């Protein structure tokens, strides 16, 4: 029933689904998928990574990642390079075009979220951040940085 949808246990998943729909729509306007945006984001913030390490960072199976990396490579936004030490390992690196596309899509996601999602009431930001970080830690074993910086 409709009132059941407002139960606290269901609000968080519903909010997550709504944010996911928004994210998919915004990144699609930039010719990306959430997975390809994630790949670019990992690479922009770090250095070239082995395919399996990228998959682990994004919480997806390596086979799931392959089509996204293939599409980004065809677009000239990532390159695959054999590791100089272990030739069996192929590292994926971001190009200037990939960095630019990531920056534009990431900025668009941020603008859309700020425009559509209400901010926490003054004084409650730390509590909301703490709660969401605890959810991520409990479900993904990942603890995001304490600040948004």
């Amino acid at each position: 029933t409709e009132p059941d949808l407002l139960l606290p246990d269901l609000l968080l998943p519903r909010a997550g689904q709504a944010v996911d729909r928004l994210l998919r729509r915004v990144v699609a306007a930039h010719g990306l998928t959430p997975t390809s945006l994630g790949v670019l984001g990992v690479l922009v913030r770090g250095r070239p990574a082995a395919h399996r390490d990228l998959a682990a960072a994004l919480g997806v199976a390596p086979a799931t990642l392959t089509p996204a990396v293939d599409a980004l490579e065809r677009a000239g936004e990532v390159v695959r390079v054999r590791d100089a030490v272990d030739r069996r390992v192929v590292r994926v690196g971001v190009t200037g075009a990939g960095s630019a596309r990531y920056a534009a899509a990431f900025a668009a996601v941020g603008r859309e979220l700020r425009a559509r999602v209400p901010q926490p009431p003054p004084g409650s930001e730390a509590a909301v951040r703490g709660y969401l970080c605890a959810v991520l830690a409990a479900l993904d074993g990942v603890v995001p940085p304490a600040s948004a910086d």
Side-chain angles (χ1 to χ4, degrees):
T1 66
E2 188 64 30
D4 289 344
L5 296 177
L6 298 178
L7 292 173
D9 291 348
L10 297 179
L11 284 175
L12 184 61
R14 286 187 66 212
Q17 291 165 349
V19 169
D20 184 61
R21 285 190 302 273
L22 179 93
L23 173 71
R24 287 177 185 283
R25 182 178 55 77
V26 174
V27 299
H30 288 268
L32 297 169
T33 66
T35 300
S36 57
L37 180 72
V39 168
L40 292 174
V42 168
L43 296 174
V44 163
R45 289 188 298 275
R47 58 182 189 276
H51 191 87
R52 71 177 177 281
D53 296 333
L54 273 176
L58 296 171
V60 300
T64 301
L65 195 59
T66 300
V69 173
D70 288 347
L72 290 168
E73 186 178 38
R74 280 191 305 274
E77 294 165 349
V78 300
V79 293
R80 288 180 168 118
V81 180
R82 291 245 175 239
D83 187 274
V85 176
D86 185 348
R87 301 291 294 158
R88 297 170 298 174
V89 175
V90 176
R91 299 202 175 277
V92 180
V94 68
T95 66
S99 292
R101 191 174 203 186
Y102 172 77
F106 186 78
V109 168
R111 282 190 304 275
E112 192 70 20
L113 284 171
R114 285 188 299 279
R116 306 270 314 264
V117 177
Q119 294 298 305
S124 67
E125 295 91 347
V128 171
R129 182 185 312 275
Y131 171 70
L132 293 174
C133 288
V135 169
L136 290 173
L139 298 178
D140 287 345
V142 175
V143 180
S147 73
D149 300 330

